[in-house]
Each structure stands twice: as C-alpha cells, then as structure tokens.
Amino acid sequence: MAVYKMTPTKANLMKAKSSLEFSKKGYDLLDKKRTVLIREMMALIDEANKIEEEINEGFKEAYEKLKYANITMGSENIEEIAMSLGKEEEFEILFKSVMGVEIPYIKYEERPFSAEYGFFRTNPTFDMAVLNFIKIRYLVYKLAEIENSIYKLAMEIKKTQKRANALEKIQIPKYTREIKSIQEVLEEKEREDFFRLKRVKGKK
C-alpha cells in the first residue's frame, strides 16, 4: 500500500475532507454526463439502423425499377439521360452541443424534383427510379450526420469513463485513506495529551 506523506494536522484533515467531497461531486457529475451521453448515443444508433434499412430498401426498389427501365429504354439511352441529371445539391455542415460535445448536423434544402430531361424520352419506371435515388441521397446525408455524431459521442463517453474511473478507483480511495490516517494520528495524539494532562494533575 502506498504511504502518503501528508502531515497529520487538523488543517490537512480539513483539506483532505474538502478534496474528497470535491472528488465525489466530480464523480457524480461525470456519472450523470456519461448516462446522458450513452442514452443519446443509443437513440442515435436506433435511428441509424432504421435509416440503413430505409436506404437498403430504397436501393432495392430503385435498382428493380432501373433494371426494367434498362430493358424498355436501352442502357445507352439511360446513361445519356442520367448524365443530364443535376449533380449533388449544396449542403452546409453545422454543429450543435450535447453535454459539451460538438455534434455535426447537415443543413440542406430538400427541394421538389424537377426533371431536366424530356418525359417523351423516358417512361414512368425510370422516373420512379430517379425519385428513389433522390430520396436515398437525403437519407445518406442524414445517416452520415448520425454516424458522425455516434462516433463523437462514443469518444466522449470513453473520455468521461476514464475520468470517472480515475476519481472512483484512485482519487476517492486516496483521500479516504488520508483522512483515516490523519484522524488516527490526531486521535492518538489527543489520547496521549489526555493521559499526560491526567498525570500532571495527579502529581499536584
């Protein structure tokens, strides 16, 4: 067991008690923070799983429609029309704070679809495939935002856990031992002083 060099005085006893109380409060705050962060992260994981399912289902439907459009319109025609479609829409990455953690979110405008090709060159199956892919694009934005948030929260939980463990396993036991050690020394001194005083009075 480590030996602590703190001088056994009443001032140091008060200091150790104050440090112990501060460490316990710090641990309680970190424990609450960890609980909130874990709850937030688990909610995001559930949301991410749902969005992944939507994306997978969306791709499945879109490719089925695209496959039929390829058969009815021809792959060369499909490729030519696809090249005329609008590129990635502009978006902005901003941040919000959750228990002091900077969580990213993507700001974008979900615009109604407007065809940049003549409908006489396509059929409804192709149009539905395009709409499916546009919907998937927005879902991917959302999933990227959530997965980034999960990662940041996981890192903060790990950091918070480490700090909480340091307080619980090291600091709190250390101050508890110091208080006990100082109290034992001070009590022993008080007993010695008491018996010494008693002997002095007896001699009188």
Side-chain angles (χ1 to χ4, degrees), residues 51-66 88 106 108 110 128-145:
I51 291 173
E52 278 182 356
E53 284 177 19
E54 283 186 63
I55 288 172
N56 290 335
E57 192 60 37
F59 271 125
K60 186 180 172 183
E61 288 178 20
Y63 280 121
E64 280 296 317
K65 291 179 176 72
L66 194 59
E88 194 83 10
I106 300 173
Y108 58 90
E110 198 166 333
M128 285 190 283
V130 171
L131 288 171
N132 271 48
F133 283 121
I134 289 170
K135 182 184 176 185
I136 289 166
R137 177 201 290 170
Y138 293 125
L139 287 172
V140 169
Y141 286 168
K142 190 67 181 171
L143 185 61
E145 174 188 308

Side-chain angles (χ1 to χ4, degrees), residues 65-76:
K65 291 179 176 72
L66 194 59
K67 186 165 68 176
Y68 184 79
N70 264 307
I71 294 167
T72 56
M73 293 170 55
S75 58
E76 286 184 12

Side-chain angles (χ1 to χ4, degrees), residues 30-199:
L30 288 172
D31 191 47
K32 285 173 185 174
K33 178 181 179 179
R34 178 178 52 192
T35 302
V36 170
L37 291 175
I38 290 172
R39 193 183 300 127
E40 184 76 18
M41 188 179 74
M42 294 310 292
L44 287 174
I45 288 171
D46 288 342
E47 194 176 347
N49 290 335
K50 287 175 187 173
I51 291 173
E52 278 182 356
E53 284 177 19
E54 283 186 63
I55 288 172
N56 290 335
E57 192 60 37
F59 271 125
K60 186 180 172 183
E61 288 178 20
Y63 280 121
E64 280 296 317
K65 291 179 176 72
L66 194 59
K67 186 165 68 176
Y68 184 79
N70 264 307
I71 294 167
T72 56
M73 293 170 55
S75 58
E76 286 184 12
N77 197 23
I78 293 281
E79 189 176 341
E80 187 185 334
I81 295 167
M83 294 299 288
S84 71
L85 293 172
K87 304 299 180 187
E88 194 83 10
E89 290 177 15
E90 287 187 6
F91 59 84
E92 190 178 359
I93 298 175
L94 303 172
F95 292 90
K96 60 183 177 182
S97 179
V98 176
M99 295 293 288
V101 186
E102 291 292 300
I103 300 296
Y105 70 95
I106 300 173
K107 185 182 178 183
Y108 58 90
E109 188 181 342
E110 198 166 333
R111 296 170 186 169
F113 172 63
S114 60
E116 296 176 24
Y117 54 84
F119 285 111
F120 67 92
R121 297 178 63 194
T122 66
N123 59 38
T125 312
F126 176 82
D127 299 331
M128 285 190 283
V130 171
L131 288 171
N132 271 48
F133 283 121
I134 289 170
K135 182 184 176 185
I136 289 166
R137 177 201 290 170
Y138 293 125
L139 287 172
V140 169
Y141 286 168
K142 190 67 181 171
L143 185 61
E145 174 188 308
I146 291 170
E147 286 183 342
N148 238 290
S149 299
I150 290 169
Y151 174 78
K152 283 185 168 285
L153 287 172
M155 290 298 101
E156 189 64 24
I157 289 166
K158 188 177 178 182
K159 199 189 297 180
T160 304
Q161 180 71 51
K162 196 174 178 181
R163 289 173 180 167
N165 283 345
L167 287 172
E168 184 184 24
K169 309 293 184 187
I170 300 170
Q171 294 299 100
I172 291 173
K174 170 192 163 187
Y175 291 126
T176 302
R177 286 194 299 269
E178 284 180 351
I179 289 166
K180 186 182 176 186
S181 175
I182 293 171
Q183 282 177 332
E184 286 174 351
V185 171
L186 290 177
E187 284 169 6
E188 184 61 30
K189 279 185 179 179
E190 282 179 6
R191 280 194 293 271
E192 286 176 4
D193 290 344
F194 175 76
F195 287 122
R196 194 178 296 114
L197 186 62
K198 206 171 180 184
R199 279 199 301 272

